[in-house]
Amino acid sequence: MKANGYGRFIQKIVINVAPTDLDAVSQKLGIPAEEEIGDPLTRRLIWTRLTRQLGNDEDVVFDLWMELGHLADKTEWQIDWEASDY
């Protein structure tokens, strides 16, 4: 994991999103979708965030939930922990 030089680490969180929800989630997070991952029912987004504590998955989920706001409950998404760097 890369450090930003100020005592924090840059995390790369991989989010799999249903194609029907891709535009809304992508726009809300301000990130473009990655290329298709081979599954026509899933598209991938790469969300980055800064942290001081490595491996804290609870903070990742909480911060993503806050970023998504009302979309968190209304869209189909999941974090791909194996592909993420946190």
Side-chain angles (χ1 to χ4, degrees):
M1 182 172 313
K2 293 170 63 174
N4 76 344
Y6 296 100
R8 292 186 178 212
F9 297 94
I10 302 169
Q11 294 179 320
K12 180 185 83 168
I13 308 302
V14 178
I15 307 166
N16 293 327
V17 181
T20 54
D21 298 324
L22 180 64
D23 288 339
V25 173
S26 176
Q27 192 172 38
K28 184 72 173 177
L29 296 177
I31 51 177
E34 297 288 307
E35 294 182 20
E36 290 186 30
I37 60 172
D39 180 358
L41 301 177
T42 305
R43 293 298 304 268
R44 175 172 285 173
L45 299 171
I46 307 293
W47 180 57
T48 57
R49 65 186 291 272
L50 294 175
T51 188
R52 290 183 186 208
Q53 184 177 6
L54 299 177
N56 190 343
D57 57 346
E58 291 176 5
D59 282 351
V60 171
V61 173
F62 179 80
D63 288 348
L64 180 57
W65 197 270
M66 297 278 72
E67 287 283 326
L68 289 174
H70 73 282
L71 290 177
D73 284 331
K74 298 179 180 180
T75 55
E76 190 176 329
W77 59 273
Q78 69 177 31
I79 296 173
D80 184 344
W81 293 109
E82 289 184 18
S84 296
D85 189 14
Y86 64 101

Coordinates of all heavy atoms in Angstrom, one line a residue:
M1 N 0.8 -1.2 0.0 CA 0.0 0.0 0.0 C 0.9 1.2 0.0 O 1.9 1.3 0.7 CB -0.9 0.0 1.2 CG -1.8 1.1 1.3 SD -3.1 1.0 2.6 CE -3.6 -0.6 2.4
K2 N 0.5 2.2 -0.8 CA 1.3 3.4 -0.9 C 1.0 4.4 0.3 O -0.1 4.5 0.7 CB 1.0 4.1 -2.2 CG 1.5 3.3 -3.4 CD 0.9 3.9 -4.7 CE 1.4 5.2 -5.0 NZ 1.0 5.7 -6.3
A3 N 2.0 5.1 0.7 CA 1.8 6.1 1.7 C 1.8 7.5 1.0 O 2.4 7.6 -0.1 CB 3.0 6.1 2.7
N4 N 1.1 8.4 1.5 CA 1.0 9.7 0.9 C 2.1 10.7 1.4 O 2.1 11.8 1.0 CB -0.4 10.3 1.0 CG -0.7 10.9 2.4 OD1 0.0 10.6 3.4 ND2 -1.7 11.7 2.5
G5 N 2.9 10.2 2.4 CA 4.0 11.0 2.9 C 3.6 11.9 4.1 O 4.5 12.6 4.6
Y6 N 2.4 11.8 4.5 CA 2.0 12.6 5.7 C 1.4 11.7 6.8 O 0.5 12.1 7.5 CB 0.9 13.6 5.3 CG 1.5 14.6 4.3 CD1 1.2 14.5 3.0 CD2 2.2 15.7 4.8 CE1 1.7 15.4 2.1 CE2 2.7 16.6 3.9 CZ 2.5 16.5 2.5 OH 3.0 17.4 1.6
G7 N 1.9 10.5 6.9 CA 1.5 9.5 7.9 C 0.2 8.8 7.6 O -0.4 8.3 8.5
R8 N -0.2 8.9 6.4 CA -1.4 8.2 6.0 C -1.1 7.3 4.8 O -0.2 7.5 4.1 CB -2.5 9.2 5.6 CG -3.0 10.0 6.7 CD -4.1 10.9 6.3 NE -4.6 11.6 7.5 CZ -5.9 12.0 7.6 NH1 -6.8 11.7 6.7 NH2 -6.3 12.6 8.7
F9 N -2.0 6.3 4.6 CA -1.9 5.4 3.5 C -3.1 5.6 2.6 O -4.2 5.9 3.0 CB -1.9 3.9 4.1 CG -0.7 3.6 5.0 CD1 -0.9 3.8 6.3 CD2 0.5 3.3 4.4 CE1 0.2 3.5 7.2 CE2 1.6 3.0 5.3 CZ 1.4 3.1 6.6
I10 N -2.8 5.3 1.3 CA -3.8 5.4 0.3 C -4.4 4.0 0.1 O -3.7 3.1 -0.3 CB -3.2 6.0 -1.0 CG1 -2.6 7.3 -0.8 CG2 -4.3 6.0 -2.1 CD1 -1.8 7.8 -2.0
Q11 N -5.7 3.9 0.4 CA -6.3 2.6 0.2 C -7.0 2.5 -1.2 O -7.6 3.6 -1.6 CB -7.4 2.4 1.3 CG -6.8 2.2 2.6 CD -7.8 2.0 3.7 OE1 -8.9 2.6 3.7 NE2 -7.5 1.1 4.7
K12 N -7.0 1.4 -1.8 CA -7.7 1.1 -3.0 C -8.8 0.1 -2.7 O -8.6 -1.0 -2.4 CB -6.8 0.6 -4.1 CG -7.5 0.3 -5.4 CD -6.5 -0.3 -6.4 CE -6.5 -1.8 -6.1 NZ -5.8 -2.6 -7.1
I13 N -10.1 0.6 -2.8 CA -11.2 -0.3 -2.5 C -12.0 -0.6 -3.8 O -12.4 0.3 -4.5 CB -12.2 0.5 -1.5 CG1 -11.4 1.0 -0.3 CG2 -13.3 -0.5 -1.1 CD1 -10.7 -0.1 0.5
V14 N -12.1 -1.9 -4.1 CA -12.8 -2.3 -5.3 C -14.3 -2.6 -4.9 O -14.6 -3.3 -4.0 CB -12.1 -3.6 -5.8 CG1 -12.9 -4.1 -7.0 CG2 -10.7 -3.3 -6.1
I15 N -15.1 -1.9 -5.7 CA -16.6 -2.0 -5.4 C -17.2 -2.6 -6.7 O -17.1 -2.1 -7.8 CB -17.2 -0.6 -5.1 CG1 -16.4 0.1 -4.0 CG2 -18.7 -0.8 -4.8 CD1 -16.7 1.5 -3.9
N16 N -17.9 -3.7 -6.5 CA -18.7 -4.3 -7.6 C -20.1 -3.8 -7.5 O -20.7 -3.8 -6.5 CB -18.7 -5.8 -7.5 CG -17.3 -6.4 -7.7 OD1 -16.5 -5.8 -8.5 ND2 -16.9 -7.4 -7.1
V17 N -20.6 -3.3 -8.7 CA -21.9 -2.6 -8.7 C -22.7 -3.3 -9.8 O -22.2 -3.6 -10.9 CB -21.7 -1.1 -9.0 CG1 -23.1 -0.4 -9.0 CG2 -20.8 -0.5 -8.0
A18 N -24.0 -3.4 -9.6 CA -25.0 -3.9 -10.7 C -25.0 -2.8 -11.8 O -25.0 -1.6 -11.5 CB -26.4 -4.1 -10.1
P19 N -25.0 -3.3 -13.0 CA -25.0 -2.3 -14.2 C -26.1 -1.3 -14.1 O -25.9 -0.2 -14.5 CB -25.1 -3.2 -15.4 CG -24.6 -4.5 -15.0 CD -25.0 -4.7 -13.5
T20 N -27.3 -1.7 -13.6 CA -28.4 -0.8 -13.5 C -28.1 0.4 -12.5 O -28.7 1.4 -12.6 CB -29.7 -1.5 -13.1 OG1 -29.4 -2.2 -11.9 CG2 -30.1 -2.5 -14.2
D21 N -27.2 0.1 -11.5 CA -26.9 1.1 -10.5 C -25.6 1.9 -10.8 O -25.2 2.8 -10.0 CB -26.9 0.5 -9.1 CG -28.2 -0.1 -8.7 OD1 -29.3 0.4 -9.1 OD2 -28.2 -1.2 -8.1
L22 N -24.9 1.4 -11.8 CA -23.6 1.9 -12.1 C -23.5 3.5 -12.2 O -22.7 4.1 -11.6 CB -23.0 1.3 -13.3 CG -21.6 1.7 -13.7 CD1 -20.6 1.3 -12.6 CD2 -21.2 1.1 -15.0
D23 N -24.4 4.0 -13.0 CA -24.3 5.5 -13.2 C -24.5 6.3 -12.0 O -23.8 7.2 -11.7 CB -25.4 5.9 -14.3 CG -25.0 5.5 -15.7 OD1 -23.8 5.2 -15.9 OD2 -25.9 5.4 -16.5
A24 N -25.5 5.9 -11.2 CA -25.8 6.6 -9.9 C -24.7 6.5 -8.9 O -24.3 7.5 -8.4 CB -27.1 6.0 -9.3
V25 N -24.1 5.3 -8.7 CA -23.0 5.1 -7.8 C -21.8 5.8 -8.3 O -21.1 6.5 -7.5 CB -22.8 3.6 -7.5 CG1 -21.6 3.4 -6.6 CG2 -24.0 3.0 -6.8
S26 N -21.5 5.7 -9.5 CA -20.3 6.3 -10.1 C -20.3 7.8 -10.0 O -19.4 8.4 -9.6 CB -20.2 5.9 -11.6 OG -19.1 6.5 -12.2
Q27 N -21.5 8.4 -10.3 CA -21.7 9.8 -10.2 C -21.6 10.3 -8.8 O -20.9 11.3 -8.5 CB -23.0 10.2 -10.8 CG -23.2 11.7 -11.0 CD -24.4 11.9 -11.8 OE1 -25.5 11.3 -11.7 NE2 -24.3 12.9 -12.7
K28 N -22.2 9.6 -7.8 CA -22.1 9.9 -6.4 C -20.7 9.9 -5.9 O -20.3 10.8 -5.1 CB -23.1 9.0 -5.6 CG -23.2 9.4 -4.2 CD -24.0 10.6 -4.0 CE -24.3 10.9 -2.5 NZ -25.0 12.1 -2.3
L29 N -19.9 8.9 -6.2 CA -18.6 8.8 -5.7 C -17.6 9.6 -6.6 O -16.5 9.8 -6.2 CB -18.1 7.3 -5.7 CG -18.9 6.4 -4.8 CD1 -18.4 5.0 -4.9 CD2 -18.8 6.9 -3.3
G30 N -18.0 10.1 -7.7 CA -17.2 10.9 -8.6 C -16.0 10.1 -9.2 O -14.9 10.7 -9.4
I31 N -16.3 8.8 -9.5 CA -15.2 8.0 -10.1 C -15.8 7.2 -11.3 O -17.0 6.8 -11.3 CB -14.6 7.0 -9.1 CG1 -15.7 6.2 -8.4 CG2 -13.8 7.7 -8.1 CD1 -15.2 5.1 -7.5
P32 N -15.0 7.1 -12.4 CA -15.5 6.3 -13.6 C -15.5 4.8 -13.3 O -14.7 4.3 -12.5 CB -14.5 6.7 -14.7 CG -13.3 7.0 -13.9 CD -13.7 7.6 -12.6
A33 N -16.3 4.1 -14.1 CA -16.3 2.6 -14.0 C -15.0 2.1 -14.7 O -14.6 2.7 -15.7 CB -17.5 2.1 -14.6
E34 N -14.5 1.0 -14.2 CA -13.5 0.3 -14.8 C -14.0 -0.6 -16.0 O -15.2 -0.7 -16.1 CB -12.8 -0.7 -13.8 CG -12.1 0.0 -12.6 CD -10.9 0.8 -13.0 OE1 -10.0 0.1 -13.6 OE2 -10.8 2.0 -12.8
E35 N -13.2 -1.2 -16.7 CA -13.6 -2.1 -17.8 C -14.4 -3.2 -17.2 O -14.3 -3.6 -16.0 CB -12.4 -2.6 -18.6 CG -11.7 -1.5 -19.4 CD -10.6 -2.1 -20.2 OE1 -10.6 -3.3 -20.4 OE2 -9.7 -1.3 -20.6
E36 N -15.2 -3.9 -18.0 CA -16.0 -5.0 -17.5 C -15.0 -6.1 -16.9 O -13.9 -6.3 -17.4 CB -16.8 -5.6 -18.6 CG -17.9 -4.7 -19.1 CD -18.8 -5.4 -20.1 OE1 -19.0 -6.6 -20.1 OE2 -19.4 -4.6 -20.9
I37 N -15.5 -6.8 -16.0 CA -14.7 -7.8 -15.3 C -15.0 -9.2 -15.7 O -14.6 -10.2 -15.1 CB -14.8 -7.7 -13.7 CG1 -16.3 -7.9 -13.3 CG2 -14.3 -6.4 -13.3 CD1 -16.4 -8.0 -11.8
G38 N -15.8 -9.4 -16.8 CA -16.1 -10.7 -17.3 C -17.5 -11.2 -16.9 O -18.0 -12.2 -17.4
D39 N -18.1 -10.5 -15.9 CA -19.4 -10.9 -15.5 C -20.4 -9.8 -16.0 O -20.2 -8.6 -15.6 CB -19.4 -10.9 -14.0 CG -20.8 -11.3 -13.4 OD1 -21.8 -11.4 -14.2 OD2 -20.9 -11.4 -12.2
P40 N -21.3 -10.1 -16.9 CA -22.2 -9.1 -17.4 C -23.1 -8.5 -16.4 O -23.7 -7.5 -16.6 CB -23.0 -9.8 -18.5 CG -22.9 -11.3 -18.1 CD -21.6 -11.5 -17.4
L41 N -23.2 -9.1 -15.2 CA -24.1 -8.6 -14.2 C -23.4 -7.7 -13.1 O -24.0 -7.2 -12.2 CB -24.8 -9.8 -13.4 CG -25.6 -10.7 -14.3 CD1 -26.1 -11.9 -13.5 CD2 -26.7 -10.0 -15.0
T42 N -22.1 -7.4 -13.4 CA -21.3 -6.7 -12.4 C -20.4 -5.7 -13.1 O -19.7 -6.1 -14.1 CB -20.5 -7.6 -11.5 OG1 -21.4 -8.5 -10.9 CG2 -19.8 -6.8 -10.4
R43 N -20.3 -4.5 -12.6 CA -19.3 -3.6 -13.1 C -18.4 -3.2 -11.9 O -18.9 -3.2 -10.8 CB -19.9 -2.3 -13.7 CG -20.7 -2.6 -15.0 CD -19.8 -3.1 -16.1 NE -18.7 -2.2 -16.4 CZ -18.7 -1.3 -17.4 NH1 -19.8 -1.0 -18.1 NH2 -17.6 -0.5 -17.6
R44 N -17.2 -2.7 -12.1 CA -16.3 -2.5 -11.1 C -15.9 -1.0 -11.0 O -15.7 -0.3 -12.0 CB -15.0 -3.3 -11.3 CG -13.9 -3.0 -10.4 CD -12.8 -4.0 -10.6 NE -13.2 -5.3 -10.0 CZ -12.5 -6.4 -10.1 NH1 -11.4 -6.4 -10.8 NH2 -13.0 -7.5 -9.6
L45 N -15.9 -0.5 -9.8 CA -15.4 0.9 -9.5 C -14.2 0.8 -8.5 O -14.2 -0.1 -7.6 CB -16.5 1.7 -8.8 CG -17.8 1.9 -9.6 CD1 -18.8 2.6 -8.7 CD2 -17.5 2.8 -10.8
I46 N -13.2 1.6 -8.7 CA -12.1 1.7 -7.8 C -12.2 3.0 -7.0 O -12.1 4.1 -7.5 CB -10.7 1.6 -8.5 CG1 -10.7 0.4 -9.5 CG2 -9.6 1.7 -7.5 CD1 -10.6 -0.9 -8.8
W47 N -12.4 2.9 -5.7 CA -12.6 4.0 -4.8 C -11.3 4.1 -3.9 O -10.9 3.1 -3.4 CB -13.8 3.8 -3.9 CG -14.1 4.9 -3.0 CD1 -14.4 6.2 -3.2 CD2 -14.3 4.7 -1.6 NE1 -14.7 6.9 -2.1 CE2 -14.7 6.0 -1.0 CE3 -14.3 3.6 -0.7 CZ2 -14.9 6.2 0.3 CZ3 -14.5 3.8 0.6 CH2 -14.8 5.1 1.1
T48 N -10.8 5.3 -3.8 CA -9.6 5.5 -3.0 C -9.9 6.4 -1.8 O -10.8 7.2 -1.9 CB -8.4 6.1 -3.8 OG1 -8.8 7.4 -4.3 CG2 -7.9 5.2 -4.9
R49 N -9.2 6.1 -0.7 CA -9.4 6.9 0.5 C -8.1 6.9 1.3 O -7.2 6.0 1.1 CB -10.6 6.3 1.4 CG -10.3 4.9 1.9 CD -11.5 4.3 2.6 NE -11.9 5.0 3.9 CZ -11.4 4.6 5.0 NH1 -10.5 3.7 5.1 NH2 -11.8 5.2 6.1
L50 N -8.0 7.8 2.2 CA -6.8 7.9 3.0 C -7.1 7.3 4.4 O -8.2 7.5 4.9 CB -6.3 9.3 3.2 CG -5.8 10.0 2.0 CD1 -5.5 11.5 2.2 CD2 -4.6 9.3 1.4
T51 N -6.1 6.7 5.0 CA -6.3 6.1 6.4 C -5.0 6.2 7.1 O -3.9 6.2 6.5 CB -6.8 4.7 6.3 OG1 -7.2 4.3 7.7 CG2 -5.8 3.7 5.7
R52 N -5.1 6.2 8.4 CA -3.9 6.0 9.3 C -3.7 4.6 9.8 O -2.7 4.2 10.3 CB -3.9 7.0 10.4 CG -3.8 8.4 10.0 CD -3.8 9.4 11.1 NE -3.8 10.7 10.6 CZ -3.3 11.7 11.2 NH1 -2.8 11.6 12.4 NH2 -3.4 12.9 10.6
Q53 N -4.8 3.9 9.7 CA -4.8 2.5 10.3 C -5.1 1.5 9.2 O -6.1 1.5 8.5 CB -5.9 2.4 11.4 CG -5.9 1.1 12.1 CD -7.0 1.1 13.2 OE1 -7.8 2.1 13.3 NE2 -7.0 0.0 13.9
L54 N -4.2 0.6 9.0 CA -4.3 -0.4 7.9 C -5.2 -1.6 8.4 O -5.3 -1.9 9.6 CB -3.0 -1.0 7.6 CG -2.0 0.0 7.0 CD1 -0.6 -0.7 6.7 CD2 -2.5 0.7 5.7
G55 N -6.0 -2.1 7.4 CA -6.8 -3.3 7.7 C -8.1 -3.1 8.4 O -8.7 -4.0 8.9
N56 N -8.5 -1.8 8.6 CA -9.7 -1.5 9.3 C -10.9 -1.5 8.4 O -11.3 -0.5 7.9 CB -9.5 -0.2 10.0 CG -10.7 0.1 11.0 OD1 -11.7 -0.5 11.0 ND2 -10.4 1.1 11.9
D57 N -11.5 -2.7 8.2 CA -12.6 -2.8 7.2 C -13.8 -2.1 7.7 O -14.6 -1.7 6.9 CB -12.8 -4.3 6.9 CG -13.1 -5.2 8.1 OD1 -12.9 -4.7 9.2 OD2 -13.6 -6.3 7.8
E58 N -14.0 -2.0 9.0 CA -15.2 -1.4 9.5 C -15.3 0.1 9.1 O -16.3 0.6 8.7 CB -15.3 -1.5 11.0 CG -15.6 -2.9 11.5 CD -15.6 -3.1 13.0 OE1 -15.5 -2.0 13.7 OE2 -15.7 -4.2 13.5
D59 N -14.1 0.8 9.2 CA -14.1 2.2 8.8 C -14.3 2.3 7.3 O -14.9 3.3 6.8 CB -12.7 2.8 9.1 CG -12.7 3.2 10.6 OD1 -13.7 3.1 11.3 OD2 -11.6 3.6 11.1
V60 N -13.8 1.4 6.5 CA -14.0 1.4 5.0 C -15.5 1.4 4.7 O -16.0 2.2 4.0 CB -13.2 0.3 4.3 CG1 -13.6 0.2 2.9 CG2 -11.7 0.4 4.5
V61 N -16.2 0.4 5.3 CA -17.6 0.2 5.1 C -18.4 1.5 5.5 O -19.2 2.0 4.8 CB -18.2 -1.0 5.8 CG1 -19.7 -1.1 5.7 CG2 -17.5 -2.3 5.2
F62 N -18.1 2.0 6.7 CA -18.7 3.2 7.2 C -18.6 4.4 6.3 O -19.5 5.1 6.0 CB -18.3 3.5 8.7 CG -18.9 4.7 9.2 CD1 -20.2 4.6 9.8 CD2 -18.3 5.9 9.2 CE1 -20.8 5.8 10.3 CE2 -18.9 7.1 9.8 CZ -20.1 7.0 10.3
D63 N -17.3 4.6 5.9 CA -17.0 5.8 5.1 C -17.7 5.7 3.7 O -18.2 6.6 3.2 CB -15.5 6.0 4.9 CG -14.9 6.5 6.2 OD1 -15.6 6.9 7.1 OD2 -13.6 6.5 6.2
L64 N -17.7 4.5 3.1 CA -18.3 4.3 1.9 C -19.9 4.5 2.0 O -20.5 5.1 1.2 CB -18.0 2.9 1.3 CG -18.7 2.5 0.0 CD1 -18.3 3.6 -1.1 CD2 -18.3 1.1 -0.5
W65 N -20.4 3.9 3.1 CA -21.8 4.1 3.3 C -22.2 5.6 3.4 O -23.2 6.1 2.9 CB -22.2 3.4 4.6 CG -23.7 3.1 4.8 CD1 -24.6 4.0 5.4 CD2 -24.4 2.0 4.4 NE1 -25.8 3.4 5.4 CE2 -25.7 2.2 4.8 CE3 -24.1 0.8 3.7 CZ2 -26.7 1.3 4.5 CZ3 -25.0 -0.1 3.4 CH2 -26.4 0.1 3.8
M66 N -21.3 6.4 4.1 CA -21.6 7.8 4.2 C -21.4 8.5 2.9 O -22.2 9.4 2.6 CB -20.6 8.4 5.2 CG -20.7 7.9 6.6 SD -22.0 8.6 7.7 CE -23.5 8.1 7.1
E67 N -20.5 8.1 2.1 CA -20.3 8.7 0.8 C -21.5 8.5 -0.1 O -21.9 9.3 -0.9 CB -19.0 8.2 0.1 CG -17.7 8.7 0.7 CD -17.4 10.1 0.2 OE1 -17.7 10.5 -0.9 OE2 -16.8 10.8 1.1
L68 N -22.0 7.3 -0.1 CA -23.1 6.9 -0.9 C -24.4 7.5 -0.5 O -25.3 7.7 -1.3 CB -23.3 5.4 -1.0 CG -22.2 4.6 -1.8 CD1 -22.4 3.1 -1.6 CD2 -22.3 5.0 -3.2
G69 N -24.5 7.9 0.8 CA -25.7 8.5 1.3 C -27.0 7.7 1.1 O -27.0 6.5 1.4
H70 N -28.0 8.2 0.6 CA -29.3 7.5 0.3 C -29.1 6.4 -0.7 O -29.9 5.5 -0.7 CB -30.4 8.5 -0.1 CG -30.2 9.0 -1.5 ND1 -29.3 9.9 -1.9 CD2 -30.9 8.6 -2.6 CE1 -29.4 10.1 -3.2 NE2 -30.3 9.3 -3.7
L71 N -28.1 6.4 -1.5 CA -27.9 5.3 -2.5 C -27.4 4.0 -1.8 O -27.6 3.0 -2.4 CB -26.9 5.7 -3.5 CG -27.3 6.8 -4.5 CD1 -26.2 7.2 -5.5 CD2 -28.6 6.3 -5.3
A72 N -26.9 4.1 -0.6 CA -26.4 2.9 0.0 C -27.4 1.8 0.2 O -27.1 0.6 0.0 CB -25.7 3.3 1.4
D73 N -28.6 2.2 0.5 CA -29.7 1.3 0.7 C -30.5 1.0 -0.6 O -31.1 -0.1 -0.7 CB -30.8 1.8 1.7 CG -30.3 1.7 3.1 OD1 -29.5 0.8 3.4 OD2 -30.7 2.6 3.9
K74 N -30.4 1.8 -1.6 CA -31.2 1.7 -2.8 C -30.5 1.1 -4.0 O -31.1 0.9 -5.0 CB -31.8 3.1 -3.1 CG -32.6 3.7 -2.1 CD -33.1 5.0 -2.5 CE -34.0 5.6 -1.3 NZ -34.5 6.9 -1.7
T75 N -29.2 0.8 -3.8 CA -28.5 0.3 -5.0 C -27.8 -1.1 -4.6 O -27.7 -1.4 -3.4 CB -27.4 1.2 -5.4 OG1 -26.5 1.5 -4.3 CG2 -27.9 2.5 -6.0
E76 N -27.4 -1.8 -5.6 CA -26.8 -3.1 -5.4 C -25.3 -3.0 -5.6 O -24.9 -2.8 -6.7 CB -27.4 -4.1 -6.4 CG -27.0 -5.5 -6.1 CD -27.7 -6.5 -7.1 OE1 -28.8 -6.2 -7.5 OE2 -27.1 -7.5 -7.4
W77 N -24.6 -3.1 -4.5 CA -23.1 -3.0 -4.5 C -22.5 -3.9 -3.4 O -23.2 -4.3 -2.5 CB -22.7 -1.6 -4.3 CG -23.1 -1.0 -3.0 CD1 -24.3 -0.3 -2.8 CD2 -22.4 -0.9 -1.8 NE1 -24.4 0.1 -1.5 CE2 -23.3 -0.3 -0.8 CE3 -21.2 -1.4 -1.4 CZ2 -22.9 -0.1 0.5 CZ3 -20.8 -1.2 -0.1 CH2 -21.6 -0.6 0.8
Q78 N -21.3 -4.2 -3.6 CA -20.5 -4.9 -2.6 C -19.0 -4.7 -2.8 O -18.6 -4.4 -3.9 CB -20.8 -6.4 -2.6 CG -20.2 -7.1 -3.8 CD -20.5 -8.6 -3.8 OE1 -21.4 -9.1 -3.2 NE2 -19.6 -9.4 -4.4
I79 N -18.3 -4.7 -1.7 CA -16.9 -4.5 -1.7 C -16.2 -5.9 -2.0 O -16.5 -6.9 -1.4 CB -16.4 -3.9 -0.4 CG1 -17.0 -2.6 -0.1 CG2 -14.8 -3.9 -0.4 CD1 -16.7 -2.0 1.2
D80 N -15.3 -5.8 -2.9 CA -14.5 -7.0 -3.2 C -13.2 -6.9 -2.4 O -12.2 -6.3 -2.8 CB -14.1 -7.1 -4.7 CG -13.4 -8.3 -5.1 OD1 -12.8 -9.0 -4.2 OD2 -13.3 -8.6 -6.3
W81 N -13.3 -7.5 -1.2 CA -12.2 -7.4 -0.2 C -10.9 -8.0 -0.8 O -9.8 -7.5 -0.5 CB -12.6 -8.0 1.1 CG -13.6 -7.3 1.8 CD1 -14.9 -7.7 1.9 CD2 -13.6 -6.0 2.3 NE1 -15.7 -6.7 2.6 CE2 -14.9 -5.6 2.9 CE3 -12.6 -5.0 2.5 CZ2 -15.1 -4.4 3.5 CZ3 -12.8 -3.8 3.1 CH2 -14.1 -3.5 3.6
E82 N -11.0 -9.1 -1.5 CA -9.8 -9.8 -2.0 C -9.0 -8.9 -3.0 O -7.8 -9.0 -3.1 CB -10.1 -11.1 -2.6 CG -10.5 -12.2 -1.6 CD -10.8 -13.5 -2.1 OE1 -10.4 -13.8 -3.3 OE2 -11.4 -14.3 -1.5
A83 N -9.8 -8.2 -3.8 CA -9.1 -7.3 -4.8 C -8.8 -6.0 -4.3 O -8.0 -5.2 -4.9 CB -10.1 -7.1 -6.0
S84 N -9.2 -5.6 -3.1 CA -9.0 -4.3 -2.5 C -7.6 -4.3 -1.8 O -7.1 -5.4 -1.3 CB -10.1 -3.9 -1.5 OG -11.3 -3.8 -2.2
D85 N -7.1 -3.1 -1.6 CA -5.8 -2.9 -0.9 C -6.1 -2.0 0.3 O -6.2 -0.8 0.1 CB -4.8 -2.4 -1.8 CG -3.4 -2.3 -1.2 OD1 -3.2 -3.0 -0.1 OD2 -2.5 -1.7 -1.7
Y86 N -6.3 -2.5 1.5 CA -6.7 -1.7 2.6 C -6.0 -2.1 3.8 O -6.1 -1.6 4.9 CB -8.2 -1.8 2.9 CG -8.7 -3.2 3.3 CD1 -8.9 -3.5 4.6 CD2 -8.8 -4.2 2.3 CE1 -9.3 -4.7 5.0 CE2 -9.2 -5.5 2.7 CZ -9.5 -5.7 4.0 OH -9.9 -7.0 4.5

